[in-house]
């Protein structure tokens, strides 16, 4: 905070970072909308899923299981497992921002990787709040808007198999996962989980292998957490500041 008082919202660093992240992330909703329709959901199911679930990784996991022939229960279970991290984020943001009344429910819904990274990247308490709300609400509005646009565009394409899009949801999910495999341990866990999935495929219904992989990864992470560096595996997807500039929360 400057000696003359807090910056206006127009010049707020937290709001500026939050807005830029909201635009970049929101545009990616087009791909989710198109792939969700390609996976078998209709336009309105896609829109409601995005409104209520509102966490990209879980949404892609859900449609990935559906596209692979899994049941809705298996898809919801996979999405829930990936969404557990948001509960950890929520506890951190509750201590940091102290939302009250209806804002507690709104804050819980927009607590995602991007809003957490934007808020914790600020040092001033006011900027932390501005960054959180601008990023969280901005991503929510734009993500759902572009999800609807993508779903309408995907629906206009007709049968996704004619375009080779029936396996695209799984590919998109792998694209989200790949940047998070930053360490040798994370890569090793991914390989072991993939092997467990391949072994499970012939013996269990579609959608269950991804749950087997999640359980294997969770067990390895649980029993191996004592030797892991602090915060390993809890990094948000988006770091608003480059590493090494002295302001990154992960530096």
């Amino acid at each position: 905070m400057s000696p003359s008082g807090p910056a206006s919202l127009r010049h707020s660093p937290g709001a500026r970072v939050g807005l830029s992240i909201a635009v970049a992330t929101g545009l990616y909703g087009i791909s989710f909308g198109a792939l969700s329709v390609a996976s078998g959901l209709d336009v309105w199911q896609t829109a409601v899923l995005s409104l209520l679930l509102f966490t990209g990784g879980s949404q892609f996991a859900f449609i990935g299981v559906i596209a692979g022939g899994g049941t809705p229960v298996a898809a919801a279970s996979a999405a829930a497992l990936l969404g557990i991290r948001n509960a950890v984020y929520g506890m951190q943001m509750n201590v940091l921002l102290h939302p009250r009344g209806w804002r507690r429910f709104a804050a819980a819904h927009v607590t995602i990787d991007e809003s957490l990274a934007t808020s914790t990247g600020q040092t001033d308490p006011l900027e932390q709040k501005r960054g959180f709300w601008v990023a969280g609400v901005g991503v929510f509005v734009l993500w759902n808007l572009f999800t609807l646009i993508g779903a309408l565009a995907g629906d206009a394409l007709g049968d996704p198999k004619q375009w080779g899009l029936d396996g695209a949801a799984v590919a998109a999910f792998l694209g989200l996962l790949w940047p998070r495999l930053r360490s040798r341990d994370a890569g090793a866990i991914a390989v072991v989980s993939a092997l467990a999935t391949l072994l499970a495929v012939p013996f269990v219904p579609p959608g269950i292998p991804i749950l087997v992989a999640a359980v294997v990864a969770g067990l390895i992470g649980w029993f191996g957490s004592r030797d892991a560096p602090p915060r390993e595996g809890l990094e948000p997807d988006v770091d608003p500041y480059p590493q090494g500039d002295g302001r990154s929360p992960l530096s």
Side-chain angles (χ1 to χ4, degrees):
M1 182 183 301
S2 67
S4 59
S8 65
L9 187 60
R10 182 179 179 182
H11 298 93
S12 164
R16 286 186 172 187
V17 173
L19 183 60
S20 64
I21 289 179
V23 172
T25 306
L27 288 171
Y28 195 48
I30 290 180
S31 62
F32 171 74
L35 294 177
S36 179
V37 172
S39 300
L41 274 67
D42 62 28
V43 172
W44 294 112
Q45 286 173 333
T46 297
V48 171
L49 176 66
S50 193
L51 280 169
L52 299 180
L53 188 55
F54 186 52
T55 172
S58 295
Q59 291 179 222
F60 277 105
F62 186 93
I63 64 173
V65 173
I66 295 296
T71 65
V73 172
S77 299
L81 284 173
L82 286 174
I84 288 176
R85 74 186 190 284
N86 286 358
V88 179
Y89 295 167
M91 290 186 285
Q92 183 178 355
M93 298 314 301
N94 188 51
V95 172
L96 191 66
L97 304 179
H98 304 291
R100 292 289 182 268
W102 64 269
R103 290 182 179 84
R104 297 191 67 178
F105 297 97
H109 199 54
V110 300
T111 296
I112 53 178
D113 297 323
E114 290 78 8
S115 57
L116 172 84
T118 304
S119 179
T120 55
Q122 306 298 319
T123 55
D124 180 78
L126 177 59
E127 294 303 323
Q128 289 174 342
K129 291 182 180 180
R130 286 174 170 177
F132 173 82
W133 286 110
V134 171
V137 175
V139 172
F140 179 80
V141 172
L142 295 176
W143 174 266
N144 281 286
L145 174 62
F146 285 105
T147 290
L148 181 59
I149 294 173
L152 292 172
D155 190 49
L157 291 176
D159 185 1
K161 293 183 179 179
Q162 294 181 351
W163 302 86
L165 295 176
D166 46 319
V170 178
F173 179 74
L174 291 176
L176 286 177
L177 174 65
W178 184 258
R180 302 189 68 83
L181 304 180
R182 302 168 181 168
S183 67
R184 183 180 300 175
D185 290 344
I189 292 174
V191 170
V192 173
S193 298
L195 290 175
T197 301
L198 292 175
L199 292 174
V201 165
F203 305 104
V204 298
I208 300 301
I210 191 173
L211 298 180
V212 173
V215 170
V216 170
L219 290 174
I220 296 174
W222 177 267
F223 289 106
S225 60
R226 294 179 179 179
D227 299 328
R231 308 183 68 154
E232 175 73 14
L234 293 177
E235 305 92 337
D237 288 334
V238 177
D239 184 357
Y241 299 113
Q243 291 186 359
D245 71 350
R247 294 183 297 171
S248 170
L250 303 177
S251 61

